Amino acid sequence: DTAVSQTPKYLVTQMGNDKSIKCEQNLGHDTMYWYKQDSKKFLKIMFSYNNKELIINETVPNRFSPKSPDKAHLNLHINSLELGDSAVYFCASSRGEGELFFGEGSRLTVL
Amino acid sequence: GDSVTQMEGPVTLSEEAFLTINCTYTATGYPSLFWYVQYPGEGLQLLLKATKADDKGSNKGFEATYRKETTSFHLEKGSVQVSDSAVYFCALSNINDMRFGAGTRLTVKP
């Protein structure tokens, strides 16, 4: 069983479209995250949720909206996609102040 | 806010060479410190960690010591292998917030 799974793994879409990436963890962790990794491998935190509540919301365009239906899921919805949104998006989970467990990443390409 | 600075890469070494990747941090309170590794096409995975000052984390021949006085957590390995080629990230964790350094790409040549 994959501990942190995210789908889809690859996503190719046109500018202006809306897309979602789903994430699920089966580790029983309370905290989940979304990170964006650019082409230079720089990893930037976007959001963090603890028990379904938003606790970190970095300076991210409001076209990005996270949704946590329960503490095992944290989905990322992106409206009006732009070329600069092309990146690999990683979901992760943790117990709080400890090790993060990452998904395999979702590579988004906006044409 | 909290931040992590690590040496820029890329780093290219020959097999069996000594590796050091520098990492320094700025944080309030008493963060935990981590090194993560990312192999090509994969997500990040924990390499080692240290939760308090003077702790030494170690795994797979890698080690790093939490130095509060110099706010550093440098990664070292005495003899690298080709299979160590990856991107290495230094990170700190402080109350539900994990911050990463920019990553250092290591290439080990036979």
Side-chain angles (χ1 to χ4, degrees):
Chain A
D1 269 351
T2 304
V4 181
S5 59
Q6 47 184 116
T7 55
K9 193 168 182 179
Y10 299 97
L11 190 52
V12 181
T13 189
Q14 300 288 328
M15 267 197 311
N17 284 349
D18 303 339
K19 290 293 177 187
S20 293
I21 307 172
K22 296 184 177 181
C23 179
E24 176 181 6
Q25 55 97 1
N26 62 8
L27 298 167
H29 290 163
D30 290 335
T31 307
M32 295 185 71
Y33 308 78
W34 276 109
Y35 284 86
K36 179 181 180 180
Q37 187 174 49
D38 62 23
S39 58
K40 295 184 179 179
K41 298 296 185 182
F42 185 73
L43 201 64
K44 179 185 174 185
I45 189 167
M46 300 175 70
F47 303 102
S48 171
Y49 268 72
N50 182 265
N51 276 323
K52 302 195 301 174
E53 289 191 20
L54 180 66
I55 54 173
I56 292 176
N57 185 359
E58 291 292 297
T59 307
V60 174
N62 58 15
R63 299 181 294 103
F64 290 80
S65 55
K67 285 188 172 52
S68 182
D70 55 60
K71 74 174 194 178
H73 296 83
L74 181 61
N75 303 324
L76 183 65
H77 188 74
I78 316 169
N79 289 328
S80 303
L81 279 157
E82 300 177 357
L83 292 177
D85 298 332
S86 296
V88 181
Y89 292 85
F90 285 100
C91 177
S93 72
S94 78
R95 285 192 187 87
E97 199 172 314
E99 175 186 358
L100 256 61
F101 290 79
F102 282 84
E104 292 186 339
S106 296
R107 181 177 294 278
L108 171 64
T109 302
V110 182
L111 303 175
Chain B
D2 295 355
S3 65
V4 176
T5 303
Q6 63 182 98
M7 66 182 278
E8 291 187 20
V11 174
T12 302
L13 297 173
S14 296
E15 207 164 22
E16 299 184 3
F18 184 85
L19 168 72
T20 300
I21 301 177
N22 290 338
C23 171
T24 57
Y25 68 91
T26 303
T28 56
Y30 304 95
S32 296
L33 301 176
F34 304 81
W35 277 99
Y36 283 81
V37 58
Q38 184 179 26
Y39 299 104
E42 298 182 11
L44 280 71
Q45 54 187 278
L46 180 69
L47 180 60
L48 55 85
K49 68 179 181 182
T51 57
K52 60 183 188 297
D54 300 325
D55 268 2
K56 178 187 281 188
S58 61
N59 186 25
K60 299 181 182 179
F62 291 89
E63 56 182 39
T65 301
Y66 189 152
R67 301 281 187 206
K68 192 166 171 58
E69 64 276 13
T70 54
T71 61
S72 65
F73 192 56
H74 305 321
L75 182 68
E76 296 182 337
K77 185 174 186 182
S79 176
V80 293
Q81 305 300 313
V82 172
S83 57
D84 294 327
S85 297
V87 181
Y88 292 82
F89 293 88
C90 185
L92 72 81
S93 174
N94 213 353
I95 312 173
N96 291 323
D97 186 3
M98 179 78 80
R99 300 283 165 160
F100 288 84
T104 302
R105 182 182 297 279
L106 169 67
T107 302
V108 180
K109 297 190 172 179

